[in-house]
Amino acid sequence: MSPDTPQAPRGTQDVLGELAAGFHLVEEAARRRFEPAGFRRIETPAFEDTALFARGVGESTDVVQKEMYTFTDAGGRSLTLRPEGTASVARAYLEHGMHKLPQPVKLWYLSSFFRYEKPQAGRYRQFWQIGVEAIGSEDPAVDAEVIVLLATLLDDLEARGIRLRIASLGTPETRAAYRSELQAHLRTHADQLSEEVRGRIDLNPLRAFDSDHSGTREVMRTAPLLVDRLTEDDRAHFDAVLAMLDAADVPYEIDPTLVRGLDYYTRTVFEFTSDALGAQSGVGGGGRYDGLIELIGGAPTPGVGWAAGIERILLAAGGVPAADTPADLFVAYEPGRRADAFTVVTHTRRAGRAAQMELAGRSLKGQLKQAGRSGARFVAVLREDGSVLQDTETNDEVPMERDADGIVAAVLRNLGI
Ligand code: HAM
């Protein structure tokens, strides 16, 4: 490679080999669990109007302030590569009048997302999420249903060291009152806070709970907690969610300081972490967003969902076994039989079987070695002076007719077609 050969941009990676096999595994596991639970697939555009994320995710969030890939297209529009999926799905719900469908509307996605973050293990600038959104019901059973779904998926995929933390943020009104109370507490102790936290008292006081700064941590020990300020309705909603998780045998820890990085959350919020991961321990997270649809221009509509990072699920699962499909048939040939070999492979594949042929110009001897490596059950050897079909299990070798049609018939018969 010459030094100016382009490489994948920082924070991105090619999905191939074991990683590609892992992606496939996650997708299959998800489909197996989500579709029977009534979730249908959705794919939204990779970019949206910048305003959707600015309004939906929240102007004060790190995602909107620092992490968006925003550009102006040739038509002068401000567009942004999606940093997350919930705002896009909410937009699609509105745009397609999905409120007319039976509620809640349940959707799932597997897509790549883009955030300008500092790359490290488990943190990328283009990453993949699997996610679900259930829009149109405020029933706590929906919260519990989506949480159980993620717990089950992580279990199916054998993710290690999984813990679920959960909290309730209440309604925007409760949160606003609590926010003022917290801001007052932070201002009273401003001289003990880190500069960063002090600078964000107005914009995002809740982030103080996230700080590693020792002075700030000390101040937060005596800070008021939102769970103690919930209204009766919100408390009852939260208790109902917890009761259903108990009934489903999904263990959780209530974490009154749980902070999610996105502004649209109301009531339930939760996060699954894995001890098997390093600093980026968040495997998946989500919550309720009862104000989001209204915020982007719709009628008040409740919703709840989550997203989980596919790379992080696979890291937590400790890799996946390489599962290459072994071929049913390998076709080896002498140069003059190339066209016949191609015909045999094509017909075998059309019949639904896995067939491979020599494609790298190897000698017949090299081809037979390659056939062994492919693990194919049958090997057809097409020579100028006749063809045989070898059964690699029994070591039987049967002669076949010379013409391609005769070979195809013999192969399919032997493959049991
Ligand atoms: P989030 O917590 O920002 O939530 O992201 C969800 C998951 O995506 C994280 O737990 C993590 O596994 C993965 N993730 C996030 N950023 C990165 C990154 N830079 N590199 C690798 N993985 C990453 C949301 O995105 C919400 N839309 C979830 C949601 C759905 N809430 C309600 N519905």
Side-chain angles (χ1 to χ4, degrees):
M1 253 193 325
S2 82
D4 57 357
T5 304
Q7 298 193 348
R10 187 166 146 73
T12 70
Q13 60 178 340
D14 297 307
V15 178
L16 48 78
E18 209 173 282
L19 187 58
F23 271 52
H24 182 70
L25 211 74
V26 173
E27 177 160 15
E28 289 302 303
R31 192 185 310 281
R32 224 171 21 244
R33 291 294 181 182
F34 299 171
E35 299 275 341
F39 288 79
R40 297 288 169 262
R41 182 73 182 252
I42 182 169
E43 270 305 317
T44 59
F47 53 84
E48 300 266 2
D49 271 349
T50 301
L52 173 67
F53 301 118
R55 269 203 265 167
V57 173
E59 294 281 6
S60 70
T61 59
D62 278 355
V63 169
V64 171
Q65 285 209 334
K66 307 185 204 158
E67 297 171 3
M68 296 209 299
Y69 281 91
T70 297
F71 60 97
T72 306
D73 76 359
R77 300 169 196 88
S78 177
L79 299 171
T80 294
L81 297 185
R82 56 185 172 198
E84 63 101 47
T86 312
S88 302
V89 172
R91 186 221 17 91
Y93 176 94
L94 270 181
E95 198 166 322
H96 299 281
M98 290 191 224
H99 63 279
K100 293 188 210 115
L101 301 173
Q103 305 293 298
V105 173
K106 297 170 164 187
L107 299 164
W108 75 278
Y109 50 88
L110 187 161
S111 327
S112 64
F113 295 89
F114 308 85
R115 294 184 194 175
Y116 188 81
E117 293 191 87
K118 202 167 176 335
Q120 62 180 79
R123 191 163 73 192
Y124 309 96
R125 289 182 174 169
Q126 179 178 4
F127 57 96
W128 294 77
Q129 282 183 349
I130 195 148
V132 307
E133 312 292 350
I135 304 180
S137 166
E138 59 173 12
D139 192 324
V142 190
D143 306 47
E145 180 179 83
V146 297
I147 294 172
V148 172
L149 215 50
L150 180 50
T152 309
L153 179 71
L154 293 173
D155 203 38
D156 287 350
L157 292 166
E158 297 178 18
R160 298 163 301 168
I162 294 294
R163 283 171 42 192
L164 164 62
R165 291 180 302 138
I166 188 166
S168 176
L169 300 180
T171 53
E173 296 75 42
T174 315
R175 224 166 136 189
Y178 168 73
R179 199 180 144 99
S180 307
E181 190 185 347
L182 180 62
Q183 282 167 332
H185 177 79
L186 293 172
R187 285 200 192 95
T188 309
H189 302 281
D191 51 338
Q192 288 164 260
L193 300 173
S194 75
E195 214 177 299
E196 204 203 338
V197 169
R198 197 163 43 232
R200 293 174 71 106
I201 294 180
D202 287 329
L203 206 55
N204 200 348
L206 277 168
R207 287 304 290 271
F209 284 110
D210 268 353
S211 176
D212 291 331
H213 177 259
S214 63
T216 306
R217 291 183 76 102
E218 193 53 36
V219 173
M220 299 322 284
R221 277 200 321 122
T222 54
L225 295 176
L226 181 52
V227 269
D228 299 326
R229 302 289 184 273
L230 295 182
T231 63
E232 226 170 276
D233 274 0
D234 292 343
R235 183 73 226 186
H237 191 277
F238 189 43
D239 288 343
V241 174
L242 299 182
M244 280 181 264
L245 292 180
D246 289 334
D249 286 329
V250 171
Y252 55 81
E253 296 151 41
I254 297 173
D255 181 351
T257 66
L258 181 61
V259 175
R260 303 268 307 130
L262 312 162
D263 267 1
Y264 46 62
Y265 292 113
T266 51
R267 291 187 158 175
T268 316
V269 284
F270 56 91
E271 206 151 75
F272 284 82
T273 54
S274 165
D275 302 340
L277 302 182
Q280 299 305 313
S281 63
V283 174
R288 194 160 262 293
Y289 43 87
D290 293 347
L292 175 60
I293 301 248
E294 198 178 357
L295 203 65
I296 61 171
T301 311
V304 60
W306 53 257
I310 295 185
E311 297 90 345
R312 293 196 196 167
I313 294 177
L314 292 172
L315 284 171
V320 283
D324 280 341
T325 317
D328 297 307
L329 175 75
F330 188 95
V331 185
Y333 55 90
E334 286 181 349
R337 307 293 312 269
R338 184 178 170 76
D340 288 340
F342 190 79
T343 304
V344 172
V345 164
T346 305
H347 280 83
T348 310
R349 285 185 184 159
R350 280 203 185 127
R353 294 308 172 93
Q356 287 174 23
M357 69 182 269
E358 170 58 27
L359 291 172
R362 292 182 184 83
S363 66
L364 194 55
K365 198 170 147 207
Q367 294 182 41
L368 293 174
K369 247 197 207 158
Q370 181 63 16
R373 279 195 289 265
S374 78
R377 167 73 198 272
F378 291 96
V379 182
V381 188
L382 279 54
R383 292 198 175 85
E384 306 288 353
D385 60 358
S387 305
V388 291
L389 186 65
Q390 301 171 342
D391 182 332
T392 60
E393 248 172 46
T394 60
N395 283 328
D396 284 352
E397 188 170 299
V398 291
M400 295 186 292
E401 287 173 49
R402 196 192 137 80
D403 68 302
D405 287 349
I407 298 172
V408 169
V411 164
L412 296 187
R413 201 169 48 244
N414 278 279
L415 287 174
I417 294 168

